Amino acid sequence: LGKGLGAGFILTGSFMIMGESMRIDARLVNVGTGVVEMSEGIDGERNNFFQLEKELVKKLIANLNLELSRSESRKVKKVQTESFQSFSSYSSALVAYDNDDLETSIKFLEDATDADEDFDKAWETLDLFEQKLKDIEKIRKYGLDKEYLANIELINKKDIKGAEAL
């Protein structure tokens, strides 16, 4: 996969939970050779997942001798959610979406936002997926493909020039 993307390295990772403890691991793999060039891990309490994740990122950045801009540093420090349950549901939603199961994905996103009402990324993704589901329902209702549906929407909004452009 990495070769096809033209990547020299791929960063992979995993986490393991045992009771209230967890371990997070990251590996930097040379795409050309398959050799693990660097490996880092961190242990701690499951409830501190996001702090552990940020500490692991700091270790990786230091070991790779990367210099981040202020904007990049800010993004790296940002914690999307403090709720492991919300994070887990969000991750399951992405897996369901990748498996073309939009309805299940939406249910997981609803669980994520229920677990953490301040998880903005989950809310944004939920809005996006719900709109996709509405579009699919319209397509099924009219028996049209997406291009025709887009034209109908523009015409309904009185955007004739936009519809002609499509």
Side-chain angles (χ1 to χ4, degrees), residues 2 45 67 86 96 147 154:
E45 292 182 29
E67 290 187 34
S86 185
E147 185 176 322
L154 289 171

Side-chain angles (χ1 to χ4, degrees), residues 31 39 46-47 52 55 76 91 97 115-116 132 143 150 153 160 162:
V31 172
S39 180
R46 182 178 100 170
N47 290 340
L52 294 171
E55 288 300 318
V76 165
S91 298
Y97 181 76
D116 180 358
K132 284 180 182 254
E153 294 293 330
I160 304 300

Side-chain angles (χ1 to χ4, degrees), residues 115-127:
D116 180 358
E117 291 184 6
D118 295 325
F119 190 179
D120 292 337
K121 186 68 176 168
W123 282 108
E124 292 165 10
T125 306
L126 179 58
D127 287 345

Side-chain angles (χ1 to χ4, degrees), residues 146-163:
K146 289 181 183 179
E147 185 176 322
Y148 291 119
L149 180 61
N151 272 324
I152 290 169
E153 294 293 330
L154 289 171
I155 291 168
N156 284 340
K157 293 178 184 174
K158 309 288 190 242
D159 185 0
I160 304 300
K161 288 184 182 183

Side-chain angles (χ1 to χ4, degrees), residues 25-43:
D25 291 301
R27 291 165 296 288
L28 186 67
V29 180
N30 183 315
V31 172
T33 64
V35 172
V36 176
E37 300 288 338
M38 183 183 69
S39 180
E40 283 291 341
I42 194 162
D43 297 297

